């Protein structure tokens, strides 16, 4: 056999992702707000791109319709919600309800009795979030506005303002007074006096270094900081654990006095600064809008308020083309024209793909939109992909960072893909529906009828859900509910108050 170099021809196939294909994939996975940013950048880079002019008379946002399941007719409520059908005004987002959890992830001891604060916006006119945020007053601004009225000592005002700048969103001071004094080069007693000044400000409890100090400040202001209340505040860990008898001995009070003290304790604000915390309102903007229609089905549309319409500025193109005399300028102009056409087609295809995917999700989860989370069924990306004739990875990208608004609230598209457990009807039930049922059973408990995980499993099995005790415990912990012993102590404590 001869050894030496030689030249062979081989034929093979490979997938080459062009830059445009890679960009199209990124566009598919991006949310509407990310697309808005991308379009703004594209408008700056391509002079031939322009935002769309006025829509044609009677033009409607691109939408799809999902018919009601066979055998189901529109109810009177659905017909009322749907309005008059064709010609109705576009969807008004003023009825959107959102909840924002303002919890700061602090230690359990701080939140043990009061829980995380939440603010909800009810039905009615939707506020202008931009104006609302612009008008917000921060905690630091609120406190600094009080400094001048409380002291005329420039040195004390300076130290107090420094302390205010160190407060966290909940109004607590994380630094020690020794650190404050060292940073400013002042005496410790001066830092203590400035902190006392801050702690005398509104809201009551601000400037505290611990939960106990925060509550004690509020109790003193209410003229309720007697030795019994002081003992109770000093033992908040026992309050959280529900050790009532031990607390009564420490406070040296009877049942009636202890119940009054406990009610008063719960009336104090454990995180006074959160009233001035920056609002997260508006950070989640729905990409897809789902509304009932007169036929008993669903109308699904993209939220075009966050999607500027792109067009090619033909007049500017003709103007530039007339002045393009060199080959280089003509080549550049053709490249920009091709880029503009491609981007418009890519965004149009993105919209069609999102609507197609959302329509299938609504069709598969029709029970959820009509009756709530208890009707949420197990659903996988593969099921949706097979129904709409796309690859599973495409559906995964479409459902990433996308939010759907319906009358039940705003949900991430991924929310509708849940694992399932076996049920009596053979179709299975989603884990979200199981969690909702477990929560409902626990919420209905009486102080003397606390359900163990085994009892919960047995009740669910009677309802057709094939769940083991350990699975029930896993779901219970996932939704943040304590064990039967913890719930028994909490309800016992609540009954005393």
């Amino acid at each position: 056999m001869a050894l030496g170099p030689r030249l062979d021809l081989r034929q093979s196939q490979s997938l080459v992702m062009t830059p445009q294909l890679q960009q199209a994939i990124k566009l598919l996975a991006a949310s509407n707000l990310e697309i808005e940013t991308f379009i703004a950048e594209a408008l700056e880079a391509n002079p031939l791109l322009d935002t769309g002019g006025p829509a044609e008379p009677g033009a409607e946002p691109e939408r799809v319709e999902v018919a009601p399941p066979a055998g189901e007719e529109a109810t009177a409520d659905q017909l009322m919600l749907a309005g008059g059908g064709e010609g109705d005004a576009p969807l008004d987002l003023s009825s959107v309800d959102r909840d924002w959890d303002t919890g700061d992830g602090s230690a359990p001891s701080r939140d043990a009795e009061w829980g995380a604060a939440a603010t909800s916006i009810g039905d009615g006119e939707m506020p202008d979030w931009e104006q609302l945020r612009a008008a917000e007053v921060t905690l630091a601004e609120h406190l600094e506005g009080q400094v001048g009225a409380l002291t005329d000592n420039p040195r004390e005002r300076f130290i107090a303002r420094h302390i205010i700048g160190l407060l966290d969103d909940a109004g607590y001071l994380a630094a020690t007074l020794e650190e404050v004094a060292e940073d400013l080069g002042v005496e410790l007693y001066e830092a203590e006096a400035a902190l006392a000044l801050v702690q005398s400000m509104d809201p009551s409890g601000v400037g505290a270094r611990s939960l106990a100090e925060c509550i004690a400040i509020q109790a003193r202001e209410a003229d309720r900081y007697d030795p019994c209340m002081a003992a109770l505040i000093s033992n908040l860990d026992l309050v959280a654990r529900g050790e009532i008898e031990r607390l009564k001995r420490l406070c040296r009070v009877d049942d009636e006095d202890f119940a009054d003290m406990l009610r008063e304790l719960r009336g104090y604000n454990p995180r006074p600064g959160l009233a001035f915390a920056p609002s997260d309102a508006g950070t989640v903007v729905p990409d897809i809008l789902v509304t009932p229609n007169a036929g008993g089905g669903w109308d699904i549309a993209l939220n075009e308020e966050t999607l500027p319409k792109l067009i090619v500025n033909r007049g500017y193109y003709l103007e530039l083309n007339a002045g393009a005399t060199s080959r280089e300028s003509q080549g550049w102009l053709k490249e920009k024209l091709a880029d503009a056409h491609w981007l418009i087609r890519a965004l149009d295809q993105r919209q069609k793909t999102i609507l197609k995917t959302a329509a299938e999700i609504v069709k598969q989860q029709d029970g959820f939109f009509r009756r709530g989370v208890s009707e949420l069924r197990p659903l996988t990306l593969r099921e949706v992909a097979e129904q709409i004739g796309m690859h599973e990875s495409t559906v995964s990208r479409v459902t990433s960072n996308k939010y759907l608004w319906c009358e039940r609230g705003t949900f991430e598209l991924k929310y509708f893909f849940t694992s399932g457990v076996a049920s009596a009807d053979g179709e299975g039930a989603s884990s979200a529906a199981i969690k909702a049922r477990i929560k409902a059973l626990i919420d209905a408990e009486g102080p003397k009828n606390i359900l163990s995980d085994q009892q919960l499993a047995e009740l669910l099995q009677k309802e057709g859900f094939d769940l083991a005790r350990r699975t029930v415990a896993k779901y219970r912990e996932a939704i943040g509910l304590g064990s039967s012993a913890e719930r028994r102590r909490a309800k016992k404590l609540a009954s005393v108050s």
Side-chain angles (χ1 to χ4, degrees):
M1 177 182 292
L3 297 177
R6 66 178 184 177
L7 185 63
D8 289 333
L9 292 177
R10 295 182 181 178
Q11 188 175 19
S12 63
Q13 290 182 334
S14 62
L15 177 62
V16 178
M17 293 185 66
T18 65
Q20 286 187 336
L21 179 57
Q22 295 177 20
Q23 189 66 65
I25 292 175
K26 290 180 181 179
L27 291 177
L28 197 59
S31 67
N32 275 13
L33 292 181
E34 292 170 331
I35 290 293
E36 189 176 10
T37 302
F38 176 83
I39 289 176
E41 294 173 354
L43 287 170
E44 291 183 5
N46 194 335
L48 299 184
L49 278 174
D50 198 0
T51 53
E56 296 180 4
E60 290 287 334
E62 186 173 358
R63 65 177 68 226
V64 294
E65 180 179 344
V66 175
E72 289 196 20
E73 297 182 356
T75 64
D77 290 342
Q78 290 166 352
L79 291 174
M80 290 175 65
L81 287 170
E86 296 182 3
D88 286 347
L91 178 66
D92 181 6
L93 288 181
S94 63
S95 61
V96 175
D97 291 343
R98 293 192 183 96
D99 288 336
W100 292 282
D101 182 6
T102 55
D104 60 357
S106 53
S109 60
R110 184 172 294 179
D111 294 337
E113 282 298 299
W114 291 266
T119 304
S120 61
I121 305 297
D123 292 339
E125 184 178 355
M126 197 72 168
D128 186 331
W129 299 118
E130 295 300 328
Q131 293 182 6
L132 184 63
R133 284 196 292 273
E136 284 179 350
V137 177
T138 66
L139 176 63
E141 292 170 344
H142 179 70
L143 295 175
E144 287 178 358
Q146 304 174 54
V147 174
L150 295 175
T151 179
D152 55 1
N153 186 327
R155 190 178 179 89
E156 191 174 30
R157 285 202 301 265
F158 174 75
I159 302 172
R161 287 194 171 101
H162 179 76
I163 291 174
I164 290 171
L166 297 176
L167 301 181
D168 62 17
D169 288 344
Y172 284 79
L173 176 63
T176 65
L177 286 179
E178 288 78 8
E179 292 172 339
V180 172
E182 183 178 354
D183 290 344
L184 298 180
V186 299
E187 297 296 331
L188 181 60
Y189 74 88
E190 293 179 294
E192 291 173 345
L195 178 61
L197 181 71
V198 173
Q199 290 181 348
S200 68
M201 297 178 183
D202 174 76
S204 180
V206 75
R209 289 157 290 181
S210 66
L211 175 61
E213 185 177 22
C214 178
I215 301 303
I217 293 170
Q218 297 175 63
R220 288 191 184 95
E221 185 170 311
D223 197 21
R224 289 287 295 162
Y225 194 71
D226 54 28
C228 298
M229 180 60 74
L232 182 62
I233 293 174
S234 299
N235 292 278
L236 292 178
D237 56 331
L238 300 182
V239 175
R241 294 202 296 267
E243 298 188 19
I244 299 173
E245 296 302 324
R246 186 177 175 185
L247 284 168
K248 287 192 294 186
R249 290 195 301 270
L250 289 170
C251 298
R252 298 181 180 180
V253 294
D254 56 20
D255 290 346
E256 184 178 355
D257 287 340
F258 182 77
D260 289 340
M261 291 169 59
L262 199 58
R263 277 193 294 270
E264 184 178 343
L265 182 70
R266 285 176 171 163
Y268 297 133
N269 187 350
R271 296 180 293 176
L274 286 187
F276 300 88
S279 173
D280 290 336
T283 56
V284 175
V285 178
D287 303 272
I288 302 153
L289 311 173
V290 178
T291 53
N293 59 34
W298 306 98
D299 284 334
I300 305 169
L302 292 178
N303 183 6
E304 296 196 350
E305 291 185 6
T306 59
L307 280 178
K309 183 179 179 182
L310 285 183
I311 61 172
V312 175
N313 191 329
R314 296 288 179 182
Y316 192 49
Y317 168 74
L318 294 174
E319 181 181 341
L320 290 178
N321 190 44
T325 56
S326 66
R327 181 177 300 178
E328 290 78 8
S329 59
Q330 289 179 350
W332 177 86
L333 193 58
K334 288 181 180 179
E335 179 183 347
K336 291 300 180 183
L337 182 62
D339 288 345
H341 281 302
W342 172 84
L343 181 57
I344 292 172
R345 287 196 303 269
L347 291 174
D348 182 65
Q349 185 60 43
R350 174 185 179 272
Q351 292 185 3
K352 287 181 168 62
T353 304
I354 292 174
L355 283 173
K356 192 174 183 180
T357 304
E360 184 60 28
I361 291 174
V362 172
K363 179 181 177 182
Q364 295 284 348
Q365 300 290 9
D366 183 81
F368 166 83
F369 292 97
R370 296 181 187 278
R371 293 176 287 276
V373 69
S374 61
E375 297 292 325
L376 198 63
R377 61 176 293 270
L379 186 64
T380 64
L381 294 171
R382 177 171 295 182
E383 289 180 69
V384 173
E386 290 175 350
Q387 291 296 323
I388 64 177
M390 293 182 178
H391 195 272
E392 187 175 342
S393 62
T394 302
V395 176
S396 178
R397 292 187 181 97
V398 169
T399 54
S400 296
N401 306 313
K402 309 293 190 308
Y403 289 84
L404 178 150
W405 179 89
C406 64
E407 291 173 340
R408 297 191 178 278
T410 301
F411 304 89
E412 188 176 9
L413 284 184
K414 294 288 188 186
Y415 172 82
F416 299 101
F417 296 90
T418 63
S419 58
V421 297
S423 64
D425 58 12
E427 293 187 2
S430 75
S431 57
I434 295 295
K435 290 175 184 177
R437 186 58 187 141
I438 290 174
K439 186 177 186 303
L441 289 172
I442 290 177
D443 288 345
E445 289 175 335
K448 297 182 180 180
N449 187 29
I450 304 299
L451 299 172
S452 66
D453 290 338
Q454 182 60 42
Q455 290 173 316
L456 287 170
E458 292 172 356
L459 288 173
L460 290 169
Q461 287 170 1
K462 290 179 181 178
E463 295 179 7
F465 303 110
D466 187 12
L467 289 172
R469 181 195 64 80
R470 299 180 72 177
T471 306
V472 171
K474 180 183 71 173
Y475 285 150
R476 173 181 55 73
E477 292 170 357
I479 56 180
L481 297 175
S483 65
S484 58
E486 293 170 338
R487 301 198 307 274
R488 185 175 291 106
R489 284 197 297 267
K491 298 210 174 200
K492 183 178 180 183
L493 191 62
S495 64
V496 171
S497 61

